[in-house]
Amino acid sequence: MIEVNKLDPKFRYEVMRERGGEKISHCFTCGTCTASCPVNEVDEAFNPRKIIRMIVLGMKDNVLNSDFMWLCAGCSSCQERCPQGVSITDIMMALKNIAVRNGITHPAFQVQASEIYKFGRLYEVGDLNDRREKLELPRIPEKPEPIRKIYELIGIDKLVESEEINQE
Ligand code: SF4
Ligand code: SF4
């Protein structure tokens, strides 16, 4: 059900200002993107045509607070086939950027971002370096500082769960 009083008519323009979002209004809801989408094959709830329509209608809250864009595999099958030249894959990426700017991120990505902030990689090296030394392999560098600088520069350090960082 669409709640008209919650629609944001400016949302489509917000997406149009993002790279790849320019042609979103060209969509004529043919469904070729959905028929091409491998994620839709395993989960019908993920429907690129529907997401594009929701953006055009201004359903900002519904789109940004859904799992939709986080499930996109970025394969570009939809984008390659869209007869209207809508850059669907780029729009999914744009939605993630807009969501993050609005302080919204998927919990799975938040955990990954937190791990990278702490360790400079997706996992703690731990005693792996000791085992590598025994095998005369070079040590894996453990320097998260450059990564943290990048986080600060692009503003995603605020997304990292402070609790986890404070446990260091
Ligand atoms: S393939 Fe293109 S025109 Fe067709 S529904 Fe998807 S975005 Fe719209
Ligand atoms: S890029 Fe995303 S939306 Fe498009 S077909 Fe691939 S998984 Fe589906």
Side-chain angles (χ1 to χ4, degrees):
M1 191 172 70
I2 298 173
E3 294 181 71
V4 178
N5 59 342
K6 288 191 178 168
L7 296 181
D8 179 352
K10 293 182 184 162
F11 185 41
R12 89 160 72 173
Y13 302 107
E14 191 176 350
V15 174
M16 285 169 80
R17 284 195 294 275
E18 297 287 320
R19 192 182 72 81
E22 303 86 353
K23 292 185 180 173
I24 192 166
S25 294
H26 295 198
C27 172
F28 55 16
T29 67
C30 67
T32 305
C33 50
T34 302
S36 311
C37 179
V39 180
N40 177 262
E41 272 188 44
V42 292
D43 183 355
E44 284 185 3
F46 182 78
N47 183 328
R49 172 174 62 173
K50 184 176 170 185
I51 298 164
I52 299 292
R53 186 63 11 207
M54 289 171 76
I55 296 168
V56 173
L57 288 173
M59 298 173 72
K60 181 174 181 174
D61 286 348
N62 300 70
V63 172
L64 295 187
N65 289 295
S66 73
D67 279 349
F68 289 153
M69 61 274 193
W70 305 103
L71 291 172
C72 171
C75 67
S76 293
S77 299
C78 51
Q79 193 157 303
E80 292 290 326
R81 295 182 174 93
C82 175
Q84 292 294 90
V86 181
S87 303
I88 305 137
T89 317
D90 296 336
I91 288 171
M92 295 297 169
M93 183 58 71
L95 289 176
K96 290 178 198 168
N97 290 333
I98 294 171
V100 169
R101 286 204 293 271
N102 281 271
I104 301 165
T105 187
H106 193 281
F109 283 84
Q110 191 147 349
V111 169
Q112 288 177 15
S114 187
E115 293 299 288
I116 292 170
Y117 190 93
K118 280 194 291 185
F119 306 122
R121 59 189 64 248
L122 262 178
Y123 56 89
E124 188 173 8
V125 176
D127 63 0
L128 184 60
N129 268 336
D130 296 337
R131 286 186 277 147
R132 285 177 68 87
E133 262 184 4
K134 283 180 193 158
L135 296 168
E136 298 183 358
L137 292 170
R139 292 180 71 83
I140 297 170
E142 296 177 83
K143 291 180 182 169
E145 291 78 15
I147 299 286
R148 293 180 181 184
K149 190 73 189 164
I150 293 170
Y151 271 44
E152 286 162 21
L153 285 172
I154 60 179
I156 61 168
D157 53 317
K158 299 172 197 72
L159 288 177
V160 178
E161 290 168 318
S162 56
E163 275 179 32
E164 288 191 31
I165 293 162
N166 291 336
Q167 286 170 10
E168 285 182 311

